[in-house]
Amino acid sequence: MSKKMIQDIEVQGKRVLMRVDFNVPMNDEGVITDDKRITAALPSIEYLIKNGAKVILMSHFGRPDGKVVDTLRLDPIAKHLSTLIGKTVIKVNDCIGDEPAQAISSMQAGDVVLLENVRFYAEEEANDPEFAKKLASLGDIYVNDAFGAAHRGHASTAGAAQYLPAVSGFLMEKELQFLGGAISNPKRPFVAILGGAKVKDKIKVIESLLEKVDTLIIGGGMAYTFLQGQGYEIGNSLLDAERVEFCKEVLVKAKAKGVSLLLPEDVVAATHFAPDAEHKIVDIDAIPSEWQGLDIGPKTLKIFVKAVEDAQTVIWNGPMGVSEFPAFAAGTNGLAEALAASSAITIIGGGDSAAAVEQAGLAEKMTHVSTGGGASLEFLEGKKLPGVEALNDK
Ligand code: ADP
Ligand code: MG
């Protein structure tokens, strides 16, 4: 069932308490090094301003563990947001109690207040009902636009929604539309590409996608546990020894379901895990015993690209190799280019995959790059996200 959105509700003159995900990377000088998460919330913020709401924003930032940590205050974020919207954002030094209440009582329609880091209170992550009530008392309407935090059942992401009319923001809606749409009603052929480091992290994603896709591509560090299960010598490549049986079962299940499961046929093997390690392209049955596979090889890339070219929907989670090292980024970049050129619906979910696509300058060419790493993964696992569940149904 779809969730109510901000356009479905009258916001004029109302105090709108909106959870955003402003957990941006910041350097030691307090400079925001990437403001993507802030800009992603702008459509909702600007809509609320334009429609005469009193906009009250709340977010977490870093891991203060329930204490006030001065370096994790949101002042630099308020300043940056002020620049982005061309309007002063009123920053208060608490997220509950008298100070925010007073600032809010003197707000005019279209004003923006940013509350202090909600994780300065241990009650936030504990989803303490009294704390959630205090947050909710600051608003007339609750909006959740923090998709990146929607997999957390915290006071500001879920608890406060209990006490107010609760709707999704535009970013949240977009994430649900693309990720949700791809999974529940994909245009076929539907291809999922999984990579990254550990099988362990992706077990539920594999199981869930196996039920839905036509083709499952497995690359990255994950692939070697599958390959070992098929009897290949993988040298020192990443191995999740406890999951070899699971991988074997996946292959059997895929076959039974008629899902085409693609694994690397050649790899870039290196002497050790380092950006400047000696390396060479080898077939999958020729990895030297002390070496490790750090990227898919060119033959494999071609096979994977071909599968993408035939697709109508592609979901990608996890790099094909150690893409942080340029010597081992060709597989990831090559696949990113194929997705960028494809006319399929292309969806990137996962922090490192999104970063890789961004790095390659191809983010704009994808249908949707999810802003939520952990949240998008849990979504792909088929889990219900507490931050979404807490919202009112349409
Ligand atoms: P995402 O954040 O997109 O979900 P993951 O966090 O699962 O992706 O995986 C990203 C990590 O996987 C990267 O740090 C990358 O170095 C690592 N990785 C990918 N391929 C390999 C490999 N062959 N060997 C070791 N690590 C790998
Ligand atoms: Mg990651």
Side-chain angles (χ1 to χ4, degrees):
M1 191 177 302
S2 68
K3 296 294 179 180
K4 239 185 202 165
M5 297 181 59
I6 29 182
Q7 306 102 300
D8 300 331
I9 198 161
E10 177 59 54
V11 297
Q12 171 68 42
K14 298 276 175 58
R15 297 172 301 158
V16 176
L17 179 67
M18 181 156 75
R19 179 56 156 95
V20 289
D21 179 8
F22 284 173
N23 187 30
V24 289
M26 197 180 280
N27 67 17
D28 294 341
E29 280 90 58
V31 176
I32 297 165
T33 51
D34 179 356
D35 69 350
K36 204 165 58 236
R37 288 193 170 147
I38 303 178
T39 55
L42 287 179
S44 293
I45 295 170
E46 282 166 349
Y47 171 89
L48 290 172
I49 295 172
K50 209 172 82 198
N51 286 277
K54 297 172 182 171
V55 188
I56 305 152
L57 304 173
M58 56 180 171
S59 179
H60 76 287
F61 176 51
R63 298 178 182 276
D65 290 330
K67 299 181 302 288
V68 174
V69 177
D70 280 326
T71 52
L72 295 177
R73 289 191 179 276
L74 301 191
D75 299 71
I77 295 171
K79 215 170 138 193
H80 188 72
L81 180 60
S82 300
T83 318
L84 290 175
I85 62 176
K87 174 181 186 89
T88 302
V89 172
I90 305 153
K91 163 70 180 40
V92 291
N93 293 311
D94 206 340
C95 62
I96 53 168
D98 290 343
E99 198 194 330
Q102 272 183 14
I104 291 165
S105 70
S106 51
M107 283 175 93
Q108 306 288 319
D111 281 353
V112 182
V113 161
L114 177 61
L115 303 179
E116 188 54 277
N117 194 339
V118 286
R119 287 198 189 164
F120 283 178
Y121 289 87
E123 291 90 336
E124 159 66 3
E125 291 189 64
N127 194 6
D128 176 78
E130 287 309 312
F131 179 73
K133 242 183 238 175
K134 285 181 193 164
L135 287 174
S137 73
L138 300 174
D140 304 307
I141 293 169
Y142 172 90
V143 179
N144 195 340
D145 211 23
F147 179 75
H151 56 316
R152 310 285 185 211
H154 296 168
S156 68
T157 59
Q162 245 64 74
Y163 307 104
L164 294 171
V167 301
S168 64
F170 291 115
L171 173 63
M172 176 72 88
E173 188 69 17
K174 189 172 151 216
E175 293 275 5
L176 298 178
Q177 182 195 330
F178 284 113
L179 285 170
I183 288 185
S184 59
N185 194 16
K187 280 195 181 167
R188 296 183 181 276
F190 178 20
V191 177
I193 307 165
L194 293 178
K198 299 189 204 117
V199 176
K200 182 170 144 266
D201 296 344
K202 309 272 164 99
I203 286 185
K204 297 225 181 67
V205 185
I206 296 169
E207 284 176 336
S208 162
L209 288 175
L210 204 52
E211 301 296 323
K212 300 180 170 106
V213 298
D214 301 296
T215 301
L216 185 59
I217 294 177
I218 294 183
M222 251 171 60
Y224 299 93
T225 304
F226 283 86
L227 292 166
Q228 156 120 347
Q230 292 201 300
Y232 290 107
E233 299 288 343
I234 61 167
N236 289 337
S237 304
L238 216 55
L239 172 69
D240 191 343
E242 286 165 41
R243 307 264 157 26
V244 177
E245 277 314 307
F246 167 80
C247 292
K248 284 185 182 171
E249 282 163 28
V250 168
L251 293 173
V252 172
K253 254 191 217 165
K255 199 160 195 187
K257 288 182 180 304
V259 170
S260 146
L261 195 144
L262 305 179
L263 286 167
E265 297 192 5
D266 62 344
V267 302
V268 182
T271 49
H272 58 291
F273 188 91
D276 57 354
E278 183 192 341
H279 56 276
K280 60 182 177 189
I281 296 159
V282 294
D283 276 341
I284 203 61
D285 57 1
I287 300 177
S289 61
E290 302 289 305
W291 293 42
Q292 52 189 293
L294 295 185
D295 194 9
I296 56 171
K299 203 193 308 180
T300 304
L301 177 61
K302 254 194 194 152
I303 296 166
F304 290 3
V305 165
K306 177 80 179 64
V308 165
E309 279 169 359
D310 293 339
Q312 295 273 357
T313 305
V314 185
I315 284 190
W316 183 10
N317 168 271
M320 292 293 98
V322 184
S323 56
E324 317 71 311
F325 301 162
F328 307 105
T332 301
N333 290 341
L335 205 56
E337 277 162 26
L339 260 71
S342 153
S343 58
I345 295 166
T346 49
I347 294 157
I348 316 297
D352 292 289
S353 332
V357 166
E358 203 86 43
Q359 185 89 41
L362 297 170
E364 301 300 316
K365 299 236 163 77
M366 306 298 172
T367 309
H368 181 62
V369 181
S370 177
T371 54
S376 64
L377 209 59
E378 292 198 16
F379 204 84
L380 297 181
E381 289 174 357
K383 278 198 196 146
K384 291 197 184 306
L385 307 182
V388 178
E389 291 306 299
L391 303 176
N392 301 148
D393 292 323
K394 255 196 181 150

